[in-house]
Amino acid sequence: MQGMNFKKDTSAGYLANHMARLFASGLQRRIKPLGLSPGQFPALVALWAKEGRTQKELVELLDIEQATLANTLARMERDGLISRRASEEDGRVQQIFLTDRAKSLEEEAIGAALAQNAEALAGFSESERDQFLDYMRRAIAAMQSAETGSAE
Amino acid sequence: MQGMNFKKDTSAGYLANHMARLFASGLQRRIKPLGLSPGQFPALVALWAKEGRTQKELVELLDIEQATLANTLARMERDGLISRRASEEDGRVQQIFLTDRAKSLEEEAIGAALAQNAEALAGFSESERDQFLDYMRRAIAAMQSAETGSAE
DNA sequence: CTCCTATATATAGCAAGCTATATTTATTTA
DNA sequence: TAAATAAATATAGCTTGCTATATATAGGAG
């Protein structure tokens, strides 16, 4: 069977990958001047909302693996965005705090992310935008349940 | 201004990133038994359609950078999926050919990708699916034109 | 022919993902 | 209490993506 029917622009997976890369590079362009990178964004958002969280708490909040977060946090510490303080009750745990610099970037950084989202959805009506977000949430939920899922 | 309004599940960029990672890991789970990985997929699709393409031609076809493709092709060669033959007319150019193994995988691999797409869109009606793909194409187009774009 | 420029591919170096495993400290159990 | 298990974090090693730069070959201008 030669020439099976597979076109990249009709593949949801292909489009999702391409779209995500454009979101990331657009965000990067906007926040690089602030000394931030896209992968740090989710952790920053969680810490702007509440400091002193542990790595475990962040892993539960963000949809990434523990090892990925550990590396991201190491880069953030290196870049002067966070500091970590060992817990006294439990020697395995560290609480994570934002530096003054990281705190000072909240407004601009969130503005950049919102601007990037707006750029991507510029041609969308409000209801189209809502529907698009809903579709993405549904696709995510479907794949997550398949992940955990039962027999094939 | 403390506590700016930014929620990950209402951010198109966040959802796009998460969704793309789930597509990739789902596809990986399906094609790993074939000895393939998700990043090789676009190049394979292009070569299944027509062999003997050059790297430059593939870069024009796929939405990735030349350096990314160069590395992906190196891994594909290492893994016995492609071979390259230097052009006689132009010493800079190499034509890329599929190995027998890579050719033999076409049906199963495309089936895996289609199955992954189907899994993600399981709960969608046909018109919802079409609309979703269209939304993604529109977001991609908006970000691409902003990339090239005029003054801010 | 020689020098400049353009083109095709490769390499360096980094970020952000992942899986799998190691390490360290707590907790539980025998 | 000593040994086994669990929990929190780190590390190893890989892929896929990027930007920036190097290398090698072609082609054009003088």
Side-chain angles (χ1 to χ4, degrees):
Chain A
M1 182 185 289
Q2 43 181 339
M4 279 191 71
N5 179 33
F6 189 90
K7 288 218 173 346
K8 62 179 193 172
D9 40 323
T10 61
S11 166
Y14 189 97
L15 292 169
N17 172 275
H18 191 189
M19 180 172 69
R21 285 186 287 116
L22 288 168
F23 268 111
S25 72
L27 181 59
Q28 175 160 28
R29 171 170 44 86
R30 291 171 191 275
I31 63 181
K32 193 171 184 176
L34 309 180
L36 301 178
S37 61
Q40 304 171 336
F41 220 89
L44 283 172
V45 168
L47 290 166
W48 283 324
K50 175 161 167 277
E51 279 193 275
R53 298 185 198 266
T54 67
Q55 184 181 124
K56 180 182 167 46
E57 286 168 350
L58 287 177
V59 166
E60 282 160 5
L61 248 46
L62 315 179
D63 305 284
I64 55 176
E65 295 303 313
Q66 176 268 325
T68 299
L69 181 59
N71 284 323
T72 297
L73 291 174
R75 283 190 295 272
M76 292 172 74
E77 194 165 35
R78 178 202 65 190
D79 296 349
L81 294 169
I82 59 167
S83 64
R84 289 187 267 195
R85 186 164 64 222
S87 157
E88 285 157 10
E89 313 95 59
D90 188 331
R92 295 167 299 182
V93 172
Q94 287 177 288
Q95 283 186 287
I96 303 166
F97 297 92
L98 293 167
T99 62
D100 290 344
R101 179 164 101 73
K103 284 180 201 163
S104 75
L105 294 173
E106 177 175 4
E107 241 189 291
E108 271 192 286
I110 290 181
L114 295 174
Q116 180 58 38
N117 287 341
E119 175 183 301
L121 305 179
F124 287 63
S125 73
E126 197 168 338
S127 74
E128 284 176 330
R129 179 175 51 71
D130 290 347
Q131 201 164 30
F132 190 18
L133 297 185
D134 193 55
Y135 287 164
M136 286 197 276
R137 284 188 216 102
R138 282 167 60 187
I140 287 168
M143 288 189 280
Q144 279 178 331
S145 74
E147 217 171 42
T148 321
S150 48
E152 192 73 47
Chain B
M1 183 184 290
Q2 43 181 341
M4 280 191 70
N5 179 33
F6 189 90
K7 289 219 175 343
K8 62 178 194 173
D9 40 322
T10 62
S11 165
Y14 189 96
L15 291 169
N17 172 274
H18 191 191
M19 180 173 67
R21 285 185 287 118
L22 287 168
F23 268 111
S25 72
L27 180 59
Q28 175 161 26
R29 171 171 44 87
R30 292 172 190 274
I31 63 181
K32 192 171 185 178
L34 310 180
L36 301 178
S37 61
Q40 305 171 337
F41 219 90
L44 283 172
V45 169
L47 291 166
W48 282 325
K50 175 160 166 279
E51 278 194 274
R53 297 187 198 267
T54 68
Q55 184 180 123
K56 179 181 166 49
E57 286 168 349
L58 287 177
V59 166
E60 281 159 6
L61 248 46
L62 315 179
D63 305 284
I64 55 175
E65 296 302 314
Q66 177 267 325
T68 299
L69 181 59
N71 285 322
T72 296
L73 291 174
R75 283 190 296 272
M76 291 173 74
E77 194 166 36
R78 177 202 66 190
D79 296 348
L81 294 168
I82 59 167
S83 64
R84 290 187 267 196
R85 184 163 65 221
S87 158
E88 285 158 12
E89 313 96 58
D90 188 333
R92 297 167 298 182
V93 173
Q94 286 176 287
Q95 282 186 288
I96 303 167
F97 297 91
L98 293 167
T99 62
D100 289 345
R101 179 165 100 74
K103 283 180 202 162
S104 76
L105 294 173
E106 176 174 5
E107 240 189 293
E108 271 192 286
I110 290 182
L114 296 175
Q116 180 59 37
N117 287 342
E119 175 183 301
L121 305 179
F124 287 64
S125 73
E126 196 167 339
S127 74
E128 284 176 330
R129 178 174 52 70
D130 290 347
Q131 201 164 29
F132 189 18
L133 297 185
D134 192 54
Y135 286 164
M136 287 197 275
R137 284 187 216 104
R138 282 167 59 187
I140 287 167
M143 288 189 280
Q144 280 178 331
S145 74
E147 217 171 42
T148 322
S150 48
E152 194 70 48

